[in-house]
Amino acid sequence: MSCGNHHDTPCSEVLDRVYTYLDGELDSDRISEIRKHLDECSPCLEEYGLEEAVKRLVAKHCGCDPVPQDLRSKVLTRIEQVRAEMAD
């Protein structure tokens, strides 16, 4: 997805990081970059809003059971593998 306009941070990078942004897992520089992009790019802001709504819905209905760290690591590793495969 892209709005067709130039941004310091590309749309694809913002959308790849939307969940880590929502989870507060980015450093302050990266957070600033993404906020700036979302302020400038309505398609990405709309996608961010959808992802935020999904995250809230899942949190509301799936309880607050803690996720084991090893499971989290495996899931994130697999996500990165799939992204790499898709990029090829």
Side-chain angles (χ1 to χ4, degrees), residues 1 3 5 7 11 37-49:
M1 170 192 296
C3 64
N5 297 325
H7 300 284
C11 295
H37 183 100
L38 293 174
D39 287 344
E40 298 172 348
C41 183
S42 59
C44 286
L45 181 60
E46 184 177 336
E47 183 69 23
Y48 163 80

Side-chain angles (χ1 to χ4, degrees), residues 3-5 9 19 26-27 29-30 35-37 44-45 55 57 60 72 75:
C3 64
N5 297 325
T9 307
Y19 276 107
L26 299 175
D27 62 47
D29 290 339
R30 187 67 70 183
R35 281 187 185 153
K36 181 179 183 230
H37 183 100
C44 286
L45 181 60
K55 183 173 173 56
L57 184 65
K60 180 179 177 182
R72 178 178 167 70
V75 169

Side-chain angles (χ1 to χ4, degrees), residues 75-88:
V75 169
L76 291 174
T77 299
R78 183 63 185 135
I79 289 170
E80 289 303 317
Q81 288 172 344
V82 170
R83 283 184 179 157
E85 291 170 5
M86 291 175 66
D88 291 338

